[in-house]
Amino acid sequence: MSALKSDLVVPLFVGIAKGLERDVLDGTLTEGSQAPSTNEISSYHEVNPATALRALNHLVDSGVLFKKRGIGMFVATGAREALLQERRARFGEAFVQPLLTEARAIGLSRDAVIDAIAEATTDG
């Protein structure tokens, strides 16, 4: 039996931060808009406010959010585009390489993989 990768388990604050990143990517949170407060996040996710604050600070550190002292946290200008660029850069490693590893393990050829992708993306 092969060992599980340690990156399969992510800290709770990272999961919350990733959810907020998705909100920025899908337009739920737009550039310049106020992010949910620590209390809103902790209540919604039923976590300690310190965990919610850690998620928000993680996004501040990565440039997705910025703080307005005494007011709250806001989505930074360019945050959506920066997130898109980061995710595009990691796409091959995060999705294509595992796909190819599995394809090799089950004996699928390159053409079979391409056919499977084409079939999965066909409308209808």
Side-chain angles (χ1 to χ4, degrees):
M1 175 186 265
S2 61
L4 293 175
K5 289 185 177 182
S6 62
D7 63 304
L8 293 177
V9 178
V10 296
L12 190 52
F13 81 93
V14 173
I16 293 168
K18 292 292 181 196
L20 291 167
E21 286 178 352
R22 279 190 301 276
D23 289 345
V24 171
L25 286 168
D26 71 16
T28 301
L29 287 173
T30 58
E31 294 179 6
S33 67
Q34 188 167 9
S37 70
T38 301
N39 289 335
E40 290 169 329
I41 293 170
S42 65
S43 176
Y44 180 81
H45 291 285
E46 298 180 348
V47 297
N48 187 301
T51 302
L53 181 60
R54 193 164 177 199
L56 290 170
N57 283 332
H58 179 73
L59 294 173
V60 168
D61 292 345
S62 66
V64 173
L65 300 179
F66 67 94
K67 296 178 185 181
K68 284 189 180 178
R69 190 172 181 95
I71 299 174
M73 305 222 192
F74 294 79
V75 179
T77 301
R80 183 175 187 278
E81 188 57 37
L83 288 170
L84 284 171
Q85 286 179 4
E86 177 187 332
R87 289 182 67 169
R88 287 174 183 150
R90 291 185 325 200
F91 183 79
E93 179 184 336
F95 297 100
V96 177
Q97 286 305 320
L99 170 82
L100 295 175
T101 298
E102 179 65 12
R104 280 187 218 98
I106 62 174
L108 288 180
S109 68
R110 177 182 184 270
D111 289 339
V113 172
I114 292 169
D115 290 345
I117 292 169
E119 184 178 316
T121 58
T122 303
D123 293 339

